[in-house]
Amino acid sequence: KLLRENDIPSLPRLTLLIPCGMSSPFFRLQETFEEKHPGILLNLIVDRANALSERILKKGETADLHFSIGEVETGQLLKAGAIKAENARGFGKFQLALGTHRTKTGLVTTLQDIAKPEVKRILLTSTEDSSVGHYAQRALRNAGLWNAVKDKISYLPTLKDCYAELAAGKADAGFAYIGCPVPADKTKAKYSKVQVATVLPEQSYGSATAYASRLSDSPHPLEADKFVQ
């Protein structure tokens, strides 16, 4: 406000909403982008995917760019009018995986294994509000397993919750995307107990696209488009 009152130009600062599973490369991108565009600053906000949606849809926060791992989260913002279809750009894909506790890798090695009677509890995020849950349900339906396993599924709010329960040995299997969380942090060493049982083939659930979307109320639309490019 003081800068405007005194006719002093201020540098635009883009606010980027980034899901935690996608955060790592953005810190490298920030340095590269700001070097190439010295007149633009970046503000990275990293949070759970559903929390990022809530910031926009429930709390009315203003941001420039929203990133999502999957079509469900982006679709919610499209439906609400927070972004326009032409401003949602697909830029990559994620891989869906079935995980298990390392002590149970002999029990669960394939998707079909979760139908075994010995498998009592399977973890999943919401099939309506989470791309991982949405794609996992699609894969199970396509494999003809949904009716056999649906009563074993426990729905948890976030992927982090799923990993924590799996790491504690409180479930036999769970779905997630490759790369979240990354157990390199010593404080998250417990997550290393979660092993990938199998990576699901893409054709079993469809194309899981990651999106970069400029929000309709972005204060800096031209600069936001530069970052997406």
Side-chain angles (χ1 to χ4, degrees), residues 130-186:
S130 158
S131 286
V132 169
H134 173 76
Y135 288 122
Q137 183 186 53
R138 182 184 293 173
L140 290 168
R141 289 189 185 279
N142 288 339
L145 295 170
W146 178 250
N147 289 334
V149 304
K150 63 181 182 180
D151 292 335
K152 302 180 182 184
I153 294 176
S154 294
Y155 295 97
L156 298 183
T158 69
L159 287 175
K160 183 178 180 180
D161 296 323
C162 292
Y163 270 100
E165 294 265 313
L166 270 180
K170 296 180 179 179
D172 299 300
F175 291 89
Y177 53 82
I178 296 293
C180 178
V182 180
D185 185 344
K186 291 182 180 179

Side-chain angles (χ1 to χ4, degrees), residues 1 8 22 26 28 35 40 44 48 61 63 78 93 96 98 106 116 125 132 150 165 182 220 228:
K1 180 180 177 182
I8 299 172
M22 194 189 283
F26 275 85
R28 298 192 299 272
E35 285 179 356
I40 306 174
L44 308 186
R48 304 185 317 274
E61 294 186 16
L78 283 166
K93 296 181 180 180
L96 186 65
L98 178 67
K116 292 177 179 178
T125 50
V132 169
K150 63 181 182 180
E165 294 265 313
V182 180
H220 311 292
V228 173

Side-chain angles (χ1 to χ4, degrees), residues 25-142:
F26 275 85
F27 293 101
R28 298 192 299 272
L29 281 170
Q30 178 177 20
E31 183 177 354
T32 301
F33 182 79
E34 290 181 347
E35 285 179 356
K36 292 183 177 180
H37 302 85
I40 306 174
L41 303 175
L42 299 182
N43 175 32
L44 308 186
I45 295 179
V46 179
D47 209 335
R48 304 185 317 274
N50 56 346
L52 296 177
S53 299
E54 289 177 359
R55 284 175 178 267
I56 300 167
L57 300 178
K58 295 184 179 180
K59 298 180 181 179
E61 294 186 16
T62 300
D64 296 284
L65 292 167
H66 174 272
F67 296 85
S68 71
I69 304 180
E71 64 188 30
V72 172
E73 293 82 359
T74 297
Q76 290 174 337
L77 298 182
L78 283 166
K79 186 177 180 180
I83 58 177
K84 295 179 179 179
E86 62 268 25
N87 294 326
R89 299 274 297 276
F91 68 92
K93 296 181 180 180
F94 74 84
Q95 293 178 290
L96 186 65
L98 178 67
T100 187
H101 193 276
R102 64 187 180 192
T103 61
K104 298 184 179 182
T105 51
L107 176 64
V108 179
T109 59
T110 68
L111 185 63
Q112 287 70 24
D113 284 344
I114 63 175
K116 292 177 179 178
E118 300 95 318
V119 175
K120 304 295 185 183
R121 187 169 185 243
I122 304 163
L123 303 178
L124 191 59
T125 50
S126 168
T127 59
E128 295 182 357
D129 300 328
S130 158
S131 286
V132 169
H134 173 76
Y135 288 122
Q137 183 186 53
R138 182 184 293 173
L140 290 168
R141 289 189 185 279
N142 288 339

Side-chain angles (χ1 to χ4, degrees), residues 204-220:
S204 70
Y205 54 87
S207 179
T209 303
Y211 287 94
S213 304
R214 171 163 58 83
L215 293 159
S216 297
D217 63 355
S218 165
H220 311 292

